[in-house]
Amino acid sequence: MFYELTERESIKAAIDALCLFLEEEGASAEKIFDSKLVATELVENVFRHTLGTACLESKIENGKLELKVYSSAGGTPPTVSRRAEVFAESGRGLFLIDSVCVERTQQEGLVRVLIELF
């Protein structure tokens, strides 16, 4: 699946389609939730931290969901995630992503994650 998202309002439709795809493939409710969390966080970060558009690409291979999120404006998140302070208003996203993914890699303008589905 591939979606080009030019505005925040288009995120929900893309994430809903991803969840439906995962449900049809037999993923558990927990893994669908994890995938929704990760995809939403990565796409939202593009809109929050850049002035570009986002592309969301997904596929299942060898029991793992591969999600790729591209930013047209480039940018790279930190390679190491840290738990945010208890009262911090932001900064939890990458920590949450890393807690549910088996792998996260990145290069300029691209973040790729793997989520164990089965």
Side-chain angles (χ1 to χ4, degrees):
M1 299 174 56
F2 182 86
Y3 292 93
E4 184 172 1
L5 309 167
T6 57
E7 55 191 26
R8 277 195 155 121
E9 290 75 27
S10 58
I11 295 172
K12 183 178 179 345
I15 300 300
D16 287 348
L18 172 66
C19 292
L20 181 60
F21 168 68
L22 293 173
E23 186 178 324
E24 290 170 349
E25 292 294 317
S28 69
E30 178 184 356
K31 294 301 181 173
I32 293 171
F33 178 84
D34 290 349
S35 302
K36 181 178 183 177
L37 171 86
V38 170
T40 302
E41 188 64 36
L42 289 173
V43 171
E44 277 287 338
N45 281 347
V46 171
F47 289 108
R48 188 175 298 125
H49 299 295
T50 74
L51 296 176
T53 60
C55 293
L56 172 65
E57 184 178 344
S58 63
K59 69 178 180 179
I60 296 175
E61 195 170 283
N62 298 324
K64 294 182 179 116
L65 172 66
E66 177 185 56
L67 289 175
K68 293 181 182 178
V69 175
Y70 305 88
S71 169
S72 65
T76 306
T79 55
V80 177
S81 62
R82 291 186 172 77
R83 191 175 352 185
E85 295 295 321
V86 172
F87 296 108
E89 293 187 19
S90 63
R92 291 177 178 79
L94 284 178
F95 184 78
L96 290 172
I97 289 168
D98 289 346
S99 71
V100 299
C101 295
V102 293
E103 181 179 314
R104 176 173 59 98
T105 57
Q106 55 200 35
Q107 56 190 15
E108 181 66 26
L110 166 68
V111 177
R112 177 185 164 271
V113 296
L114 292 177
I115 300 170
E116 189 82 49
L117 291 179
F118 309 106

